[in-house]
Amino acid sequence: DGSFGPIFVRLAWHAAGTYDKHTHTGGPGTGASMRFKPESAWGANNGLDQARARLELVKKQYPGISYADLWSLAGVVAVESMGGPVIPWRPGRVDCTEQTAPKLRDGLLPDATKGASHLRDIFYRMGFTDQEIVALSGAHTLGRCHTTSSGFTGPW
């Protein structure tokens, strides 16, 4: 449909979704590490290059904003512009460089081909409850699936 809102929400989520509450690694503190391989090439991040490329237009216009802040802000603005709640947002995320990017392992993000126990493992690692997992899964009602991104097509 041409709307970038759903993919901006997905980008913001995937940038934060590597968080581990036990080790305090991953997540928004990675400094937009998805700009670099291998993270940018993870199967779970397929298609997000389109969102990153679209936001490059904003980055060129506002070079002082970090990528980490830009991706987070894009997700917040997308939720609000699609009729969602107003989300408090604060700047201050610092970008990593290719040399300082954390060495995250693939498999930290949910895989739609796996079952409920996999989702629980992924979300529990971040500190979410079952109720919060259900609420966050509702984001899949935004937009639609694309075979080039997830292997699935159409609405969830």
Side-chain angles (χ1 to χ4, degrees):
D1 68 0
S3 169
F4 277 86
I7 200 168
F8 287 161
V9 171
R10 184 170 168 241
L11 176 66
W13 165 246
H14 282 227
T18 58
Y19 179 69
D20 185 315
K21 74 174 184 173
H22 302 291
T23 63
H24 303 287
T25 58
T30 63
S33 57
M34 193 193 315
R35 291 174 292 144
F36 310 113
K37 288 185 177 181
E39 191 177 344
S40 63
W42 290 352
N45 290 331
N46 283 345
L48 291 178
D49 56 328
Q50 296 171 30
R52 294 189 306 265
R54 182 68 173 198
L55 290 173
E56 277 299 322
L57 302 171
V58 177
K59 179 70 171 160
K60 285 180 183 170
Q61 199 170 9
Y62 301 95
I65 191 170
S66 68
Y67 284 100
D69 271 352
L70 179 60
W71 296 356
S72 171
L73 181 59
V76 166
V77 171
V79 167
E80 292 176 10
S81 70
M82 291 185 292
V86 172
I87 301 169
W89 182 86
R90 284 185 305 188
R93 294 159 194 82
V94 178
D95 288 338
C96 66
T97 65
E98 194 163 4
Q99 293 73 34
T100 63
K103 307 299 182 228
L104 301 172
R105 63 176 174 79
D106 196 357
L108 295 173
L109 297 166
D111 182 334
T113 65
K114 297 184 179 176
S117 67
H118 165 75
L119 282 178
R120 282 189 167 124
D121 290 344
I122 295 291
F123 284 92
Y124 287 172
R125 184 199 74 233
M126 291 181 258
F128 290 107
T129 66
D130 284 344
Q131 183 178 7
E132 292 164 330
I133 294 169
V134 171
L136 286 169
S137 296
H140 286 104
T141 63
L142 303 173
R144 58 188 170 87
C145 299
H146 302 271
T147 54
T148 55
S149 298
S150 66
F152 298 96
T153 187
W156 280 102

